[in-house]
């Protein structure tokens, strides 16, 4: 009887161990699904927030003061292209840059890269500085999207 009791105890212990391992695997699988779903939701929220923040500049006419304010707000954002277009030349202020091409009411960029030499924002409102933006001048603001998607990654201000 002593051996039978030991065999039963070992069997019950083994059964309990299998149940615990199965429960841990089930919980781990559910946790991974939750993490994946959470990452997707955060990504969607981020994209919609970016679109909401930049919707004021979607194909609109704004003043130089608003341009200065937008540049000061977004120039350190590592996910924004900021450019001022005057006479077919672009001055980039953001931490990223790309080759811009007009596509109707917005600009497209096939890819982005780090902007190693962004323009200084120190003299935007100083008339003696080369990067001066007159506060009363009118600018056309257009969004920049990644080519083939609706992801907004920047703003182009075109002097009128």
């Amino acid at each position: 009887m002593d051996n039978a009791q030991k065999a039963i105890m070992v069997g019950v212990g083994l059964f309990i161990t299998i149940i615990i391992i199965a429960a841990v695997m089930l919980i781990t699988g559910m946790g991974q699904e939750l993490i994946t779903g959470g990452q997707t939701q955060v990504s969607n929220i981020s994209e919609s927030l970016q679109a909401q923040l930049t919707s004021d500049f979607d194909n609109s006419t704004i003043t130089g003061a608003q341009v200065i304010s937008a540049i000061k707000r977004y120039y350190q954002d590592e996910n924004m292209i900021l450019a001022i277009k005057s006479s077919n030349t672009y001055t980039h202020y953001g931490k990223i840059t790309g080759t811009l091409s007009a596509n109707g009411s917005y600009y497209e960029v096939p890819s982005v890269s780090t902007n190693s030499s962004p323009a200084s924002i120190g003299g935007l409102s100083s008339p003696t500085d080369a990067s001066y933006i007159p506060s009363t001048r009118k600018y056309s603001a257009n969004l920049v999207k990644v080519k083939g998607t609706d992801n907004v990654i920047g703003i182009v201000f075109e002097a009128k």
Side-chain angles (χ1 to χ4, degrees):
M1 231 15 176
D2 196 31
N3 286 339
Q5 259 184 333
K6 286 183 182 178
I8 290 173
M9 294 297 284
V10 168
V12 168
L14 192 59
F15 184 69
I16 290 173
T17 303
I18 290 171
I19 289 175
I20 291 172
I21 291 173
V24 167
M25 291 178 67
L26 179 68
I27 291 170
T28 303
M30 290 178 2
Q32 287 177 341
E33 289 175 14
L34 286 173
I35 289 172
T36 302
Q39 287 174 337
T40 302
Q41 285 180 342
V42 167
S43 176
N44 291 342
I45 289 170
S46 174
E47 288 174 10
S48 73
L49 182 60
Q50 184 74 7
Q52 183 181 6
L53 289 172
T54 56
S55 65
D56 294 341
F57 302 107
D58 189 9
N59 200 21
S60 61
T61 300
I62 59 174
T63 65
Q66 290 171 304
V67 171
I68 293 169
S69 175
I71 290 172
K72 287 182 178 179
R73 183 179 347 157
Y74 294 119
Y75 83 99
Q76 289 188 342
D77 189 336
E78 296 186 14
N79 299 316
M80 288 287 284
I81 291 176
L82 294 170
I84 294 183
K85 180 182 179 188
S86 55
S87 305
N88 292 332
T89 59
Y90 294 94
T91 305
H92 291 276
Y93 287 94
K95 289 195 172 192
I96 60 172
T97 186
T99 305
L100 298 166
S101 60
N103 185 0
S105 64
Y106 63 93
Y107 283 82
E108 283 186 335
V109 61
S111 63
V112 296
S113 60
T114 302
N115 189 2
S116 58
S117 58
S120 168
I121 67 160
L124 291 177
S125 55
S126 172
T128 59
D129 195 277
S131 62
Y132 173 61
I133 297 174
S135 61
T136 57
R137 187 171 188 179
K138 296 292 182 188
Y139 288 84
S140 157
N142 295 295
L143 301 180
V144 178
K145 298 179 181 180
V146 176
K147 189 172 188 170
T149 69
D150 281 334
N151 294 344
V152 176
I153 61 164
I155 309 166
V156 174
F157 303 103
E158 189 171 349
K160 287 189 169 192

